[in-house]
Structure formats: C-alpha cells, structure tokens
Amino acid sequence: MSSVVQDSRTAGRSPASYDSEQYRPGRPITDWEPENELFWKAIGRKVATRNLWIAVPALLVAFVVWQVWSVTATDLKDVGFGFSTSQLFWLTAVPGLTGGTARILYTFLGPMIGQRRFTALSTAVLVVPLIWLGIAVQDPTTPYAVMVAIAALFGSVAVTGAMWGFVAFYASCTAVTWWFYARKGAEAPS
C-alpha cells in the first residue's frame, strides 16, 4: 500500500478512469492529480514533460528578445541617434515598467484562454517588436516617442508573455514534486 494519503476523490481511482482526451495538446485539463502516484506515472509525467519542453524554449526566447532591447537601447547613440543619456536610461527602463504592469492583465488572461495556448501565442507575437526595432534602427531620425512605444511593446510581450505562464507552471510543479517526495520521505530522482 502506498504511503501517500489519498482523499475520497482520488482513492482507488486508476489512470484508466481519467478522460484521456483532455491530456492531448490544445485541450483544457480538468483532472490534474500529480500527487496520485498511479496518475503521475501513467499520465502526469508525460504531460508535464511536454509542457516543459514547450515552456522552457518559450521563456528563453522571451528573455533573449528582452535582452536584445536592453543591448540595442544602450548603443543607439553609437549608430547616430541623438538621444540624451537620460532618454537612453528611460528606454532601458520602459520594458520593465510595462512588463510589470502587464502582469496584472496576464494573471487573468492566461487562465481564460488556456495557459499553453497563451504561452504559444505570446511567444509567436515576439516577432512584432523585433521587426519594428529592425526597421526603426535603420533610420537615426526615428522619433523618441516611437522608440518608447517599441520599448513598451518589448516589455509587455517579451517579459510577461512567456515568463508569467512558465513561472506559474514551474512553481506549481516544483511545489507539488517537493510535497510528493517530502511526504514519502524520499529524495527526488535525478
């Protein structure tokens, strides 16, 4: 008998009793019981691994895009833009400010449309600020307001789009895994 205590909802429930259609990509998951050892071995590990293979590259791309802006903004003077030092500092700060503010919206938006779908869409949208920046830096007469708008788009999309979904998913998986192994008095497998 397993040392994991199961409540009445999961007691005696085998993985075969779950609706396997809900665990296919693009479907909302309503039964998620990673603490149920049978469920985890039969279904949960596969789904969590698939999600991590999607979320980790999405997060990497988001941070790369955010970093591109930070590096580009600090070097705008070197390529002929006449922005002051103060303006350049503001250009590097705007993505963080808009990203932090947009997290309020993303807290509600992800669960409404589905976190996996939201992560995929927000990662695909990262191309927009990259293309706009590529066009804008070719002309040193690009107005400061346009550069601020590009910076805001970089922050609202890159910082929070993939990251918020990944952070929520990763944090919950880490907590559940820690809890599961702590209850069993075992160490997590490497």
Side-chain angles (χ1 to χ4, degrees), residues 75-180:
D75 291 334
L76 287 175
K77 247 185 179 176
D78 297 339
V79 293
F81 285 83
F83 301 142
S84 70
T85 304
S86 175
Q87 288 175 315
L88 292 175
F89 280 124
W90 271 107
L91 284 177
T92 58
V94 166
L97 294 170
T98 58
T101 305
R103 285 184 187 165
I104 297 166
L105 171 68
Y106 289 141
T107 300
F108 301 104
L109 192 58
M112 285 178 12
I113 67 169
Q115 202 60 56
R116 288 180 291 183
R117 182 176 294 133
F118 180 68
T119 299
L121 288 172
S122 62
T123 302
V125 170
L126 293 175
V127 118
V128 173
L130 286 174
I131 290 172
W132 195 8
L133 177 64
I135 293 168
V137 296
Q138 293 179 21
D139 181 12
T141 62
T142 302
Y144 180 71
V146 170
M147 296 305 264
V148 169
I150 295 171
L153 187 59
F154 263 88
S156 63
V157 174
V159 176
T160 59
M163 185 176 77
W164 187 247
F166 178 76
V167 167
F169 177 76
Y170 184 75
S172 62
C173 284
T174 302
V176 167
T177 303
W178 173 84
W179 174 82
F180 181 72

Side-chain angles (χ1 to χ4, degrees), residues 23 32 39-51:
Y23 302 106
W32 185 250
F39 170 83
W40 183 254
K41 287 180 179 177
I43 298 170
R45 180 179 292 184
K46 180 181 170 189
V47 173
T49 301
R50 181 185 67 219
N51 285 349

Side-chain angles (χ1 to χ4, degrees), residues 4 6 10 34 36-37 57 65 71 77 91 145 160 175 181 187 190:
V4 177
Q6 296 180 341
T10 62
N36 179 337
E37 190 172 357
V65 168
V71 170
K77 247 185 179 176
L91 284 177
T160 59
Y181 285 104
E187 291 183 22
S190 50

Side-chain angles (χ1 to χ4, degrees), residues 36-74:
N36 179 337
E37 190 172 357
L38 295 174
F39 170 83
W40 183 254
K41 287 180 179 177
I43 298 170
R45 180 179 292 184
K46 180 181 170 189
V47 173
T49 301
R50 181 185 67 219
N51 285 349
L52 283 174
W53 277 106
I54 293 167
V56 170
L59 179 64
L60 176 67
V61 169
F63 277 117
V64 166
V65 168
W66 194 29
Q67 188 64 33
V68 163
W69 176 258
S70 299
V71 170
T72 303
T74 58

